[in-house]
Amino acid sequence: LGTALQKIAKDYNDNPKNSQAKFIYIRLCLKQKNLDKAKELIDSATREEKEKDYQDLLSALNLALKAQESPELALLQEKYKEHPDDMEILKQLAAALKEAGKRQQALDLLFEAFKKDTGNAQVKQLIIDILNTMQGDPLQSKYRRNLYTLMY
């Protein structure tokens, strides 16, 4: 899926007027839970594009955005605010954020903890696991560089 996302992103960037490539790109972003990029692409739709698959994609985006704000995620965020040094809560919150498509937030939390204790193998492994799921996402290389910088 990551390779397909990279190829369609390149095709779309080479020819932004290609509606078919744009809609495939949006669908792949939705599958990868890259909702910010999907929203950006949907918001840039022209009037002609809105006559095609636009409504279906907009509905899929709205459902995915609602799914991001689950009560379980809110509960974990509250627990983490109350106990910011509890590594178990941190790991649960990071995993929940990743599943909700909020990989950047998850990585930011994990990096904050990893900076405090670069010897924490569990946090490091969770960072690596999330990075491995981000194929085709430009943030992957940024966070991977940050990880290597902290490790060495």
Side-chain angles (χ1 to χ4, degrees):
L1 195 58
T3 304
L5 184 63
Q6 287 175 332
K7 286 182 181 180
I8 198 66
K10 183 185 179 323
D11 288 348
Y12 172 72
N13 289 330
D14 289 347
N15 184 8
K17 294 183 191 260
N18 182 344
S19 297
Q20 186 177 10
K22 183 178 197 172
F23 288 147
I24 292 169
Y25 190 15
I26 293 169
R27 283 188 183 90
L28 288 174
C29 286
L30 289 170
K31 280 195 182 295
Q32 290 267 317
K33 296 184 181 174
N34 187 347
L35 303 184
D36 291 334
K37 186 63 178 179
K39 181 171 178 15
E40 175 189 322
L41 292 166
I42 287 173
D43 288 346
S44 71
T46 64
R47 185 172 48 221
E48 296 83 31
E49 290 172 334
K50 289 181 181 180
E51 293 173 6
K52 298 178 184 174
D53 295 331
Y54 176 81
Q55 288 302 323
D56 292 342
L57 293 171
L58 185 59
S59 295
L61 175 63
N62 287 332
L63 288 171
L65 288 170
K66 284 183 178 131
Q68 278 190 334
E69 299 307 323
S70 72
E72 295 83 12
L73 183 57
L75 181 64
L76 283 170
Q77 288 172 323
E78 193 60 37
K79 281 184 180 178
Y80 181 70
K81 284 179 188 173
E82 293 170 6
H83 307 285
D85 295 327
D86 187 326
M87 283 297 122
E88 196 56 41
I89 293 173
L90 171 69
K91 291 185 296 185
Q92 291 173 3
L93 177 57
L97 286 167
K98 185 255 177 213
E99 284 304 310
K102 298 181 177 186
R103 293 180 294 235
Q104 186 170 0
Q105 279 183 271
L107 287 168
D108 288 342
L109 278 175
L110 292 169
F111 270 98
E112 189 179 305
F114 193 62
K115 286 176 187 174
K116 292 177 187 173
D117 179 11
T118 56
N120 190 326
Q122 291 179 331
V123 171
K124 181 177 90 172
Q125 187 58 51
L126 193 49
I127 291 171
I128 292 169
D129 290 344
I130 292 173
L131 289 173
N132 288 339
T133 67
M134 296 176 68
Q135 297 298 323
D137 190 328
L139 290 174
Q140 181 190 38
S141 59
K142 173 190 167 196
Y143 282 101
R144 199 173 293 279
R145 279 192 306 273
N146 289 348
L147 178 62
Y148 292 150
T149 299
L150 289 173
M151 288 171 46
Y152 303 106

